[in-house]
Amino acid sequence: MCCEHVGGAQPSVQRSPHPLTRAPVDADLQPAGSLPHAPRIKRPRLQVVKRLNFRSEEMEELPLPDSPRIDVTPPPSPEDLAELWDHEASDAAADVGLTRASAAARNPVLRRPPILEDFVHVTSTEGVRAYLVLRADPVATGVQSPLLHVPWRGGGQLDLLGVSFASLKEQVHGERRERLLQEAQRLSDTLRSLGSGEEEAAQPVGAPEEEPADGQDASTHCLWVDEFAPRHYTELLSDDFTNRCLLKWLKLWDLVVFGHERPSRKPRPSVEPARVSREAHDDRSPEAFRTRIEAATQMESVLGAGGKPNCLVIDEIDGAPVVGSLMPGILNRKGPQEAEPQGPAVPSGGGRRRRAEGALLMRPIICICNDQFAPSLRQLKQQAFLLHFPPTLPSRLVQRLQEVSLRQGMRTDPGVLAALCEKTDNDIRACINTLQFLYSRGQREVSVRDVQATRVGLKDQRRGLFSVWQEVFQLPRAQRRRVGQDPALPADTLLLGDGDAGSLTSASQRFYRVLHAAASAGEHEKVVQGLFDNFLRLRLRDSSLGAVCAALDWLAFDDLLAGAAHHSQSFQLLRYPPFLPVAFHVLFASGHTPRIIFPSSQQEAQNRMSQMRNLIQTLVSGIAPAMRSRATPQALLLDALCLLLDILAPKLRPVSTQLYSTREKQQLASLVGTMLAYSLTYRQERTPDGQYIYRLEPNVEELCRFPELPARKPLTYQAKQLIAREIEPERDFFGRVVVRSTAAPSAGDTALEQDSVERLMGTAVGRSEVWFRFNEGVSNAVRRRLYIRDLL
Amino acid sequence: MVQIVVSSARAGGLAEWVLMELQGEIEARYSTGLAGNLLGDLHYTTEGTPVLIVGHHILYGKIIHLEKPFAVLVKHTPGDQYCDELGRETGTRYLVTALIKDKILFKTRPKPIITNVPKKV
């Protein structure tokens, strides 16, 4: 049904102000005097949806068979409406019904309510009431406007919900019914699987009672991991000793926190679980971190229920490097600080606590990290009490998993759970997630096969470098047939048979194992460097060094691959480098491995190379231009430098230079000249043990010193001193050679001998024939006698 | 009565000389004496200050306009002079050859000129 709306008039539905409320169009709207007609059927509510179209510009052309005496499209303005009604009034002489009908067909806006059709009434702003005819919409979309694309939702519908409220309610009821039915069904399945098979037909009656109890619906309930997070001391997974250590440490805080020692209770049944605010913050910036701590600590008694003091737990503190270094600073501030008690520790490698020094910190802070050797935690370590959490015992884990599966209604046996623990490497979360996943897939009984075959529940791990190296160089001790359990094995091998797969040998297992380890290590470069540094320290089996050659070939290959991959950007080549550790494993793995050292040779070599480069660069930049053209760094280094150093070390008598013969003086002068040309000099330096030595600067002797060859016999200290003294006056502050001219001072003096003016100028300045002697004082009181006869 | 006649040397204008006054003595380096040797250089700065370079000394002076100008007289003794029209024996006559209206006075202590400054002290 639809109706058109006359623009400008206010629509109002009879008897209710809200446009969405259902207002039945019923019989009492008929004005008196009209023909009584049969009572109409109460239409279903859904249909009286007011699809009010306010778009006055899109008007509908009624398909009229006859005489469009007046324009059928309703006028857009009230004035026109009045005009229309005048037209309408002129029709009044005609047959009422017919005219009305046809008029209604022509013009759905009426002045009097129609008899036969449905209508709604509309009141204009002036108070004039019009009646709009409702028509059945054949298309039933409710959209008649030619412009279907209306920016409103529902294509022209004004209603906010799109459907009526009753229909919404019905929908909700329907959904709830359906959900109840589903849960009932699932419950009956569970009960059936547990062996109690008395109820064949799961009654929906029974379902709602049990529904809220257990939270069987995995989709709406939380994860099992959260649900089975330990709340009691007995539910902790770490070993007893560690737990007691932690408790004891916390107890130590009694004095500070409570001001007195609390009476010790026999084994504490629960770690205080109050107010573990589960907000996970990911504030990496120092400011945010500081405000977070302050916020947690300042809100002391407001937050605590029952007035229990808080204990701050910071997890993954090694992840935020800024934070880790800020902690000591923050914690050494004055003022009370608080923390929240930690939930029971789920071990993940390492844990540590922090206990402040001094009386500044009033509440314990517990920091959890995975890698206690992270550099950002170095400062913190000095002030903290470290507690290392050993990895979980499988037996304990199995026990816990049994409890979980019992609670959830899954059938497992310890062997299966043990296999699961082994597969996930004793990770509690992975185990519980795997169980939940299997459960949600409908499995209520877990067998070894399921555990082996499922590939979910595995954490994405990054193996540490040392573990990778260990894997490569050490033969695995227990050569168990773990065919289906190894995630490293490719998928097709898992499909081979069941039980013992005879085709997969232990060598292949090792192959894939090492491959997987190498591929999952993050930094291939570092792995290779570690292998390179360590592979010669192993005990080699063959004496022919063939294995070493093969290993070196592999290293060269790896280098080529990396170079090619990055040079031509064909990164598909990077599929091959992980095979290098496998090759090393095959070549070098033995039962006994020496301690593996962290690789440093690359770094050292790089440093040395850059140092030498700098030396050469300094030398080359100081060479005088005349020699520079023949002294490229390459040529200098390869050809000239060693010999140059030999030239610079002649035999010089350790006496004063005045006593030298001319030949010796010449020798010395040429030596000095050479050194000046290459801008070398000897500089006195103090060694760490207090001795003074003369060192060549720049010290290019380093470049020519080879560790295996015998060192060159150096010049004596006196000789170097002598040479240094000779060189020194020739160099200015910057080390440049001073161009020294002879004693003639002025520039014009040297050249232009033929010009007499210049010559005279030079004479005047430096070599004048007269001298001037200045007389101090005044001489106006000097008198002399003068006789007239002298004038005559 | 002693009469000494001072007359102008020629009819035209007289030369204008400038007097240089030094507060000191000039000595000869060699034993040849001062005669014929170059004394030094006289320069003027842009402001007009005279600068005298003598040997390795430099003097700054100033130009002073003489309120009582000098005249340069050359003595002529009667022995080789012509007699005047009266036939009397002329006495010693002085001829003015130049006038001096300005002098350059160097009265400040001279500064030494150092031409070879060693680069390293």
Side-chain angles (χ1 to χ4, degrees), chain A residues 728-729 731 738 745-746 760-761 764-778 790-792, chain B residues 4 23-29 34 37-39 41 54-57 59 75 92 94 108-110 115 120:
Chain A
E728 207 171 332
R731 288 155 59 92
V738 168
S746 72
L760 289 175
M761 200 193 313
V765 173
R767 293 182 289 145
S768 65
E769 289 126 358
V770 299
W771 286 338
F772 174 66
R773 182 172 297 178
F774 180 69
N775 287 340
E776 196 70 36
V778 289
D790 297 326
L791 296 177
L792 290 175
Chain B
I4 299 176
Q23 183 172 328
E25 289 169 12
I26 298 180
E27 296 172 358
R29 182 202 279 244
L34 284 173
N37 288 337
L38 184 70
L39 172 71
D41 294 326
V54 176
H56 58 275
H57 282 138
L59 300 104
K75 184 176 179 179
T92 310
Y94 284 93
T108 56
R109 178 176 281 275
T115 55
K120 276 204 311 201

Side-chain angles (χ1 to χ4, degrees), chain A residues 77 92 101 155 247 312 332 404 468 570 585 613 633 652 657 668 724 743:
Chain A
S77 66
L247 275 184
L312 183 62
N332 281 331
V404 169
V468 175
S570 32
H585 176 78
R613 274 218 191 101
L652 290 173
T657 47
L668 184 62

Side-chain angles (χ1 to χ4, degrees), chain A residues 618-690:
Chain A
T618 320
L619 178 66
V620 165
S621 62
I623 294 181
M627 265 72 67
R628 179 72 180 81
S629 58
R630 277 179 281 276
T632 58
Q634 187 89 355
L636 195 63
L637 182 63
L638 291 176
D639 299 332
L641 204 58
C642 297
L643 303 172
L644 183 67
L645 290 175
D646 277 334
I647 293 173
L648 292 180
K651 283 201 184 53
L652 290 173
R653 284 192 297 150
V655 292
S656 158
T657 47
Q658 317 286 346
L659 301 176
Y660 274 5
S661 62
T662 36
R663 202 178 145 283
E664 274 176 335
K665 277 193 190 146
Q666 213 174 7
Q667 205 179 19
L668 184 62
S670 72
L671 171 64
V672 169
T674 311
M675 288 188 73
L676 281 177
Y678 283 89
S679 154
L680 295 166
T681 186
Y682 284 105
R683 192 177 292 270
Q684 194 180 31
E685 275 170 15
R686 192 168 183 273
T687 57
D689 47 341

